Amino acid sequence: MNRFDYAQAQDGAEAVRLGSATGARFLAGGTNLVDLMKENVERPVSVIDIQRLPFAAIAELDGGGLRLGALATNADTAYDPRVAERYPLLASAILAGASPQLRNRATNGGNLNQRTRCYYFYDTATACNKREPGSGCGALGGVTRIHAILGASEQCIATHPSDMCVALAALEATVRVEGPDGERTIPFADYHRLPGDDPARDNTLAPGELVTGIDLPAEGFATHFTYLKLRDRLSYAFALVSVAVAMKVGVDGRIETARVALGGVAHKPWRVPEAEAMLVGAMPSHEAFAGVARRLLEGAVGRGDNEFKIELARRAIVRALQQAADGTPQSQIDKRVA
């Protein structure tokens, strides 16, 4: 670990000012940043501790939504009675991730900004355009079991690791940030970015901008939802493929609204609105769900070890849509998928 300056911010304005300096990093739960510093992947010039800032509350919004403070822990968020009752998709996705110990420490803002788990990103002896821009991509032609099948580029084929973010994408949350130019909100679909020619940037935050909260809309899809996560072992593993489904079903049994977000397959939670529109007005059926899966996976490309993900994702999408339509969401206590 390299030497760095350390400062505790006393308010948001001071955090933004200190965080705008070149080489500065914000520290909250530290469950990702500290690991990366130990591995010499992150080498900040200064660390700005934001744990004392007043962004830990979960509060009601006018109009029926809920604001999740950026410094609320993942555990406090998942077990908040309002989240559990009105946004069970989000609670389920959070509980599918990490371990209880990590969820007790990790924050909502940190979850949004966690870095990829690509082997080559963590191995400083290999090339990685995300870690060292212009150095190349060791994953191309390497071991690709966990890598992207959608939205990748010739510069980077890493995936975004979050479970929580896949649910937030399906719920169409909004990210609140404070920066040198004031406050602004970012629709969740625009928060993370695909790698393109600049894979070092994971999101659309400007330098110095600090996440202060996440706004959930009033509609939580509490009746027809599921978070289905497929991984190499049942506990403490990142998703090979995950699927978040939020659905509304009318009294006549037809689907009124459907949102589907994929995790583990791209640089960001993956949605295709045209695929979701195919379900509007349809009766739940295997054929309808299979059509959505085909549309969601159009353009999917496997690279050796991860080619299995395309068929795995197709089957997971169909299963998740059926779970949501039936109102029988995937259990995060009994994680086995028959």
Side-chain angles (χ1 to χ4, degrees), residues 252-330:
D252 60 354
R254 294 186 182 277
I255 298 169
E256 295 180 347
T257 305
R259 299 185 192 151
V260 187
L262 306 182
V265 298
H267 220 67
K268 60 185 290 185
W270 188 263
R271 285 184 64 192
V272 178
E274 294 81 3
E276 298 165 359
M278 293 168 63
L279 288 173
V280 177
M283 293 295 291
S285 70
H286 180 89
E287 292 72 21
F289 298 156
V292 171
R294 284 193 295 272
R295 181 66 183 86
L296 271 164
L297 295 170
E298 279 185 7
V301 176
R303 299 174 187 266
D305 300 328
N306 69 349
E307 290 181 1
F308 74 97
K309 276 191 173 186
I310 299 175
E311 178 62 15
L312 184 68
R314 185 190 68 76
R315 296 187 184 206
I317 294 164
V318 173
R319 181 186 290 269
L321 284 165
Q322 190 65 60
Q323 288 180 345
D326 292 343
T328 55
Q330 179 67 39

Side-chain angles (χ1 to χ4, degrees), residues 229-270:
K229 178 178 179 178
L230 303 177
R231 48 194 144 182
D232 280 327
R233 58 179 184 268
L234 291 180
S235 177
Y236 197 42
F238 294 93
L240 293 169
V241 171
S242 68
V243 188
V245 177
M247 183 183 291
K248 287 189 70 174
V249 178
V251 293
D252 60 354
R254 294 186 182 277
I255 298 169
E256 295 180 347
T257 305
R259 299 185 192 151
V260 187
L262 306 182
V265 298
H267 220 67
K268 60 185 290 185
W270 188 263

